[in-house]
Amino acid sequence: MPTPNLPTKPCTVCGRTITWRKKWERSWDDVKFCSDACRRRRSSPDDDALEAAILTLLAKRPRSSSICPSEAARAVAGDDESAWRPLMQPARDAARRLAARGLLEITQNDRPVPDASRAKGPIRLRSPR
Ligand SMILES: [Zn+2]
């Protein structure tokens, strides 16, 4: 969990929590990325498409049901596995960004994960309860 009392914000690329550090004292407002990898990757057009696909899929389902990130990857890239498989990690990142904005919950075994930044293994997505 993030250290109490320190400001946090979501990484604009992967949605993981960024916790304030002393070295960012003067530049905190400009901090956008959690890591050099995210700084290099930046955002791609797929990212917005994946966020939109997740929200559309959730809107079509009953509030009690959930979706798999792969459904969003398929919605964006099509059903050919070689096309949607590379979008699985970007789909999970998109889910974290949306969760950070309170637009969905990330669950494992039907329970919300306390810290989506560190969730390992398969996740599902549902509308906030
Ligand atoms: Zn990141």
Side-chain angles (χ1 to χ4, degrees):
M1 297 293 284
T3 311
N5 304 322
L6 290 177
T8 63
K9 62 165 90 172
C11 171
T12 58
V13 172
C14 72
R16 286 189 173 84
T17 302
I18 307 173
T19 301
W20 186 92
R21 287 185 225 160
K22 179 83 175 158
K23 69 172 181 176
W24 290 328
E25 205 166 20
R26 289 160 198 283
S27 60
W28 175 242
D29 286 347
D30 300 323
V31 172
K32 293 187 175 65
F33 310 108
C34 72
S35 63
D36 288 341
C38 284
R39 186 192 319 282
R40 277 193 300 272
R41 184 163 100 68
R42 302 262 172 168
S43 296
S44 80
D46 283 342
D47 292 336
D48 289 339
L50 285 164
E51 287 188 17
I54 289 168
L55 293 176
T56 301
L57 286 162
L58 286 176
K60 283 187 198 157
R61 302 292 164 85
R63 283 185 71 80
S64 55
S65 70
S66 61
I67 64 163
C68 174
S70 67
E71 295 176 60
R74 280 191 177 91
V76 169
D79 282 328
D80 186 344
E81 185 166 355
S82 65
W84 63 259
R85 189 59 73 182
L87 286 187
M88 276 305 289
Q89 189 57 47
R92 292 169 65 102
D93 293 347
R96 273 198 298 267
R97 292 194 302 274
L98 293 169
R101 277 148 53 195
L103 295 174
L104 59 76
E105 287 179 347
I106 294 176
T107 64
Q108 287 183 316
N109 301 321
D110 256 358
R111 298 209 187 110
V113 295
D115 183 357
S117 294
R118 288 173 178 76
K120 298 269 194 286
I123 57 170
R124 293 190 67 83
L125 317 174
R126 69 183 190 191
S127 297
R129 299 286 160 89

